[in-house]
Amino acid sequence: MFYDIAWEVYVKMGRFSWWLAAKGDKKITTELLQNYYRLLNATRLFRTFPFSSPSYGWQNVKTPDTVVGFNCVKCLVTEYFQSKGLSEFCTKTCCALDYPLAELWHAKLERTGSIASGADKCDFRWILNDKNINL
């Protein structure tokens, strides 16, 4: 039930961020680059609001051309749920929301670990879904 309620909020924030991210540089000529920068900007918007510093700590990482990558090294939500002994709940709800959000943004999320599941960071790798993109 918590997941479903939180997803309704994520959909609204995600659609708005995706729409806003499309308002970027119109000089980019290829559809692949346009979609990459749109994904990059949407993830940046989310890391600016509502998941901003100092409650959240972000590190950008170098990735291949069609991948947006960053690590989360501090997560207020995880800290809260861990303090209540609810790390598994956090993993199955809050952390799990990132995967369908990636699909909403025409991408696939790969993550090998999360702070809530005991890793030292959440490694986000948003892989652009280029099936419908003319290269």
Side-chain angles (χ1 to χ4, degrees), residues 115-131:
I115 298 169
S117 65
D120 61 340
K121 65 182 181 281
C122 303
D123 56 336
F124 289 84
R125 301 303 180 266
W126 304 79
I127 302 163
L128 188 60
N129 179 356
D130 62 355
K131 284 189 265 183

Side-chain angles (χ1 to χ4, degrees), residues 76-133:
L76 180 69
V77 170
T78 296
E79 290 172 9
Y80 173 79
F81 283 114
Q82 283 177 335
S83 74
K84 305 296 181 196
L86 295 169
S87 293
E88 185 178 354
F89 176 80
C90 185
T91 302
K92 290 182 177 181
T93 56
C94 299
C95 299
L97 291 169
D98 298 325
Y99 294 94
L101 179 64
E103 292 175 14
L104 188 69
W105 289 344
H106 308 284
K108 178 180 129 185
L109 175 63
E110 289 185 357
R111 186 168 52 209
T112 62
S114 68
I115 298 169
S117 65
D120 61 340
K121 65 182 181 281
C122 303
D123 56 336
F124 289 84
R125 301 303 180 266
W126 304 79
I127 302 163
L128 188 60
N129 179 356
D130 62 355
K131 284 189 265 183
N132 300 318
I133 298 172

Side-chain angles (χ1 to χ4, degrees), residues 34-114:
Q34 287 173 351
N35 286 313
Y36 169 78
Y37 282 108
R38 189 174 186 186
L39 179 61
L40 177 65
N41 289 331
T43 60
R44 283 180 177 166
L45 285 168
F46 249 58
R47 290 185 284 157
T48 302
F49 179 80
F51 303 104
S52 59
S53 180
S55 299
Y56 296 86
W58 302 105
Q59 296 174 333
N60 292 322
V61 297
K62 187 160 177 54
T63 58
D65 290 345
T66 58
V67 177
V68 173
F70 51 86
N71 296 330
C72 179
V73 295
K74 178 178 174 23
C75 177
L76 180 69
V77 170
T78 296
E79 290 172 9
Y80 173 79
F81 283 114
Q82 283 177 335
S83 74
K84 305 296 181 196
L86 295 169
S87 293
E88 185 178 354
F89 176 80
C90 185
T91 302
K92 290 182 177 181
T93 56
C94 299
C95 299
L97 291 169
D98 298 325
Y99 294 94
L101 179 64
E103 292 175 14
L104 188 69
W105 289 344
H106 308 284
K108 178 180 129 185
L109 175 63
E110 289 185 357
R111 186 168 52 209
T112 62
S114 68

